[in-house]
Every structure is written in C-alpha cells, then in structure tokens.
Amino acid sequence: MIALWRPLAAAAAAAARRIGLRMVHDLHLVGWSCDEMHEEGFVSLFAGGPVPASVSWSIASMAELAVSRLAQRRETPGIPVSCTTVPVRLIPGTEG
C-alpha cells in the first residue's frame, strides 16, 4: 500500500494493527517523507511501533533546484517549460 501523506500512512498502519496485520509480514506499506524531518515528522507518528518504509527527498535539494530554475527563467524568460526531477531514496521500514 502506498500512502503519500504522513497522516494517511499512520492511519493505514493503525488500521492494519487493529485487524491484526503485521508490518512487513502481512502488509507492505510505503509512506512519503522529507529527509530533514523524517524522524520527528514521520517515525514519531508510529509511537515506537513498526515504521513503514518511506520514499524520502531533500527539501534543500528541491529548493535549490527551484531557485536555480527561477534564475534561469529570469535570465531567459522565453525558455520552454521543463520537468525537473528531485532525487529520492527509499528508507526501509522496521518490522512488526
């Protein structure tokens, strides 16, 4: 199950616990978080219990890319629209 918002990942994990499913063994849940706030903003939602895996990205990298693109746009207003990707990584979950 993919839960792209932190509260949804916590709610999915709680619902799974209520019906007796164990993280990793019975349910593979993946959340979404940023590197800079992973511990306090994601892991803490699971109150010391099993934590699902999460796709994580860097706010600093995203901001740097955005500012760079804005500077390019300012120098050359007519440049075409582009799609920029931000590097992500998978942080493994803990077993339950």
Side-chain angles (χ1 to χ4, degrees):
M1 174 186 289
I2 298 173
L4 294 181
W5 304 107
R6 294 175 310 179
L8 293 177
R17 275 193 307 276
R18 280 194 301 276
I19 61 172
L21 297 178
R22 294 177 302 152
M23 200 81 62
V24 180
H25 298 283
D26 303 315
L27 174 69
H28 294 281
L29 177 62
V30 178
W32 188 250
S33 97
C34 59
D35 292 342
E36 292 85 349
M37 298 185 331
H38 184 73
E39 288 296 318
E40 66 275 7
F42 188 77
V43 173
S44 66
L45 292 174
F46 302 94
V51 177
S54 64
V55 174
S56 189
W57 78 98
S58 168
I59 293 171
S61 290
M62 185 180 290
E64 186 177 324
L65 286 166
V67 169
S68 173
R69 185 65 179 158
L70 287 169
Q72 287 176 329
R73 172 80 54 195
R74 189 171 201 176
E75 282 183 25
T76 314
I79 62 174
V81 174
S82 67
C83 179
T84 302
T85 58
V86 175
V88 298
R89 64 190 177 105
L90 181 63
I91 300 174
T94 62
E95 291 193 26

